[in-house]
Amino acid sequence: MNLFRKKSLGQVHPGLNRHLRLWDLIILGIGAMVGTGIFTITGTATANLAGPALIISIVIAAFCVGLSALFFAEFASRIPSTGGAYSYLYAIFGEFPAWIAGWLTVMEFMTAVSGVASGWAAYFKGLLANLGWRLPTALNGTFDPAAGTYVDLLPILVMVLVTALVLMNAKAVLRFNSLLVLLKFSALALFILVGIFHLNPGNWGNFAPYGFGEIYGGQTGIMAGASLMFFAFLGFESISMAVDEIKEPQKNVPRGIVLSLLITTVLYILVTLVLTGMVPFKNLNVDDAVAFALRQVGAGWAGNYVSLVAILTLITVCISMTFALSRMIYSLARDGLLPKAMKQLDPKTRIPKNATLVAGLMAAIAGGVFPLASIASFLNICTLAYLVMLAFALLKLRKEHGAPGPGEFKTPLVPVLPILSIVVCVSFMTQYSLSTWLAFGVALLIGIGIYFGYGYRHSEEHK
């Protein structure tokens, strides 16, 4: 049994239509990263974990993500293949480690999409409540018979809409996504412009009320805030999932990843700085922190606009993540590790239709049945695990194949940066609870079972 059979470096798979430009990639990355994190998590993380010092947490989280982004950029320029970390590890470590990375990526994007869909539903329910409308109790919450709730209908409905959009021509859906991203920027720009006229420097006086925290195993403080804010940056790797649809991928994928990450980091820092300057951090333990802060300073009109835009534009995150998830499933099926029906392309749009339907169905079920509380931690630990694998893979790539050639992106300071990335990622992983680790272990066992039950025998490399 050969669990470490490899695919050749730079193996190209024709079929998808190459039409995406650099601007499309930047919008795709920003659309994935700027969403639930900036509209909701900034408030709760400030109130419960780090206080105004959350801006330092954001810088640490961005640094961690930025290291991995550099690795993604080099791999994308040297191994231009759909599937992200999965495809890169397939060429470096072999099939079984690649499958683990691919399975963890599926878990990441599935829980991300379902989590954002649940967040969207929470905002929409608030809007309906203001209008005096309410769904029947049985359809208004995740599975909890004791409370009389069995399924949360709204996340399911929004996933039906998102899946239908992603099934359209990819260029058309990304144009629609770009419009929603611009609308999202308008709301955040309005928040910053209004907020700077209502800043109270005294709110920054107790800058780090929870301290720095612990490097390993902490529950509060700047490091705990960084481990949570890591969630806010997830989605940058969605760019590398679409490499088979990108013009000049060796140049545009690294640029798209780095530029979208830089723009998102600056935006998160500005919003958090203004947010904590407007309202005492202890008052920000709310799900709609950005709109809440505006209402607290008497700018209710701006708060209502932000709430409306949040409802509309959280869909952009669902679109970006569903787009990436369907391409991940397509990549696994193309290599024989999932049923071949998942690799079928629509003859007209050249979109992996069945993979997109499965992606939407998985996210709809997760969002409609399972509670949101632990999604961010589970999502993070899955991502951190395969980012550790990616850092090791870069070290092995350099050892076996040398430095990048002319025109290829080169990660600086190797091996220092990959080793530093491993240390930071493991530090973040230790911040999570035992229940999160148990869920992670169960997900791994399920993935291993699928590989040995189906993937190994049907793999294209096996054939």
Side-chain angles (χ1 to χ4, degrees), residues 7 79 81-92 98 331 334-335:
K7 285 169 40 174
I79 310 176
S81 180
T82 302
Y86 157 74
S87 292
Y88 309 150
L89 266 67
Y90 212 145
I92 302 302
S331 298
R334 180 196 62 202
D335 293 334

Side-chain angles (χ1 to χ4, degrees), residues 269-281:
I269 290 173
L270 287 174
V271 168
T272 303
L273 193 62
V274 173
L275 185 67
T276 55
M278 291 171 66
V279 180
F281 73 90

